[in-house]
Amino acid sequence: MICAGNWKMHKSPTQARQFITQLKEALSETERQEVVVLVPALCLEAVQQTAGKQIKFGGQNSHWENSGAFTGENSPQTLAEMGAGFCLVGHSERRQLFHETDTMVAAKVRSLQKQNVIPIVCIGETLEERRQEKTVEVLRRQLERGLAEVNSDRKFWLAYEPVWAIGTGEVATVRQVEEAHQVIRDWLVRHVPGQGQTPILYGGSVKAANAGELAKVPNVAGFLIGGASLELDSFLGVLRSTAK
Ligand code: PGA
C-alpha cells in the first residue's frame, strides 16, 4: 500500500527534520508500505537531508515553466534538483483557493513528467456535484482535461479526493470509493495506453480507524492523508492499519 502524507502548509524545516527522523526510526515494522511525504517547498531541503531511502518525498505544487517571470512559483526543474520524486497537481485546495484549472493541471503534468517527477493528479467532486449526481461526469471531465498532455510512457499517479470529505471528518463510504475508483480505472484503461496499473489513491479524512476497511476496496492502491499525516502516531496508525 502507498501512504502519502500531504502536509499542506504545516511544519517548518526544523519540525520537518524532527518528524522525518522519528518516522524513519519507527518504520521498520511497516517497511513493506510505500511511504511518501508531500511537503511545503520551503521544507524540501530539510526533508531531502533527512529522508534516507525508505521515505520518498515531493512537493505540493509547481509551475509548468522551468523558469520565468512567475513571482512566488516553484519550478519543476528545481523540484527535481531537490530530490522530489513526486508533486501533487490539482489538489482541490489549489483549484478552489488559487483558481487552478484543468488546463493548468494538464500543463503541470506535462512539465513534471519531463523532469521525471511523478505527478499525483487529484480529482474529485464537490458535495453539490454529488447531490446532483454529476460525480461520474466530473471525474471523467477532470481526467480528460487534466491528462490531456500526459506522457503514457512515463509515470503518474491519481488521487480520488471527494472535496466534501477533505478535512471534514466525513469519509466516503466503501461503496462510494469503489464506484469512483472503478470509473477512474475504466477511463485509464480506455484512454491511456499501458497505464492500466497506475496507482489510484483515495484521500479525504483517512485515519487509522477507517483506512483498514478502505484498503480492501478494489483499485485502491493507497491513501493521500492530510490531517492524520501531521502527527507521528496518527500517521503510523494509518500505516499499520493498512499493512498487508
Ligand atoms: P484530510 O486531507 O486527510 O485532512 O481530509 C486530505 C487531502 O487534502 O489530501
Side-chain angles (χ1 to χ4, degrees):
M1 280 259 126
I2 297 164
C3 287
N6 172 13
W7 289 0
K8 309 195 180 188
M9 198 176 71
H10 294 285
K11 297 195 194 297
S12 67
T14 309
Q15 291 167 330
R17 222 175 246 118
Q18 198 178 18
F19 181 92
I20 298 291
T21 306
Q22 290 171 347
L23 179 61
K24 237 177 10 186
E25 280 167 17
L27 270 184
S28 49
E29 336 172 7
T30 52
E31 61 204 8
R32 283 165 60 211
Q33 308 282 64
E34 194 163 351
V35 181
V36 183
V37 285
L38 302 155
V39 308
L42 294 172
C43 290
L44 277 170
E45 191 174 359
V47 173
Q48 182 184 27
Q49 289 166 352
T50 342
K53 284 211 180 88
Q54 211 178 344
I55 302 170
K56 297 175 186 164
F57 63 92
Q60 300 171 358
N61 178 40
S62 75
H63 198 270
W64 51 89
E65 295 291 346
N66 285 326
S67 63
F70 303 107
T71 302
E73 283 290 330
N74 302 318
S75 153
Q77 194 170 38
T78 307
L79 275 177
E81 188 185 314
M82 297 187 84
F86 299 86
C87 188
L88 291 175
V89 183
H91 188 280
S92 67
E93 286 150 20
R94 300 291 318 166
R95 294 179 191 259
Q96 292 194 323
L97 305 172
F98 302 97
H99 313 296
E100 204 162 293
T101 64
D102 286 323
T103 312
M104 294 179 193
V105 169
K108 290 175 182 207
V109 169
R110 182 198 61 214
S111 57
L112 286 165
Q113 283 190 310
K114 272 197 191 144
Q115 297 300 327
N116 285 322
V117 176
I118 299 176
I120 305 179
V121 183
C122 305
I123 58 173
E125 80 287 358
T126 62
L127 187 55
E128 202 183 320
E129 288 162 342
R130 177 163 283 275
R131 285 198 178 128
Q132 292 172 354
E133 300 187 354
K134 288 191 177 151
T135 301
V136 174
E137 181 188 323
V138 169
L139 293 179
R140 288 193 185 137
R141 188 183 63 226
Q142 289 177 335
L143 287 165
E144 200 169 302
R145 296 187 186 164
L147 296 180
E149 301 182 54
V150 77
N151 181 343
S152 58
D153 294 331
R154 295 205 176 172
K155 287 185 184 172
F156 63 96
W157 291 3
L158 289 166
Y160 169 58
E161 294 207 307
V163 179
W164 48 271
I166 295 178
T168 57
E170 194 174 335
V171 68
T173 64
V174 164
R175 179 100 198 251
Q176 287 168 329
V177 175
E178 184 168 353
E179 281 171 2
H181 281 233
Q182 191 62 54
V183 168
I184 298 166
R185 176 64 69 214
D186 290 346
W187 190 92
L188 277 177
V189 168
R190 248 181 263 136
H191 295 93
V192 192
Q195 291 281 355
Q197 297 305 310
T198 297
I200 308 170
L201 312 181
Y202 167 76
S205 299
V206 172
K207 47 184 189 282
N210 54 36
E213 192 185 21
L214 289 167
K216 295 187 203 128
V217 175
N219 289 309
V220 172
F223 299 108
L224 185 55
I225 308 144
S229 74
L230 294 176
E231 299 293 332
L232 193 65
D233 283 352
S234 52
F235 193 44
L236 287 173
V238 177
L239 286 169
R240 288 179 183 143
S241 62
T242 58
K244 279 186 180 165

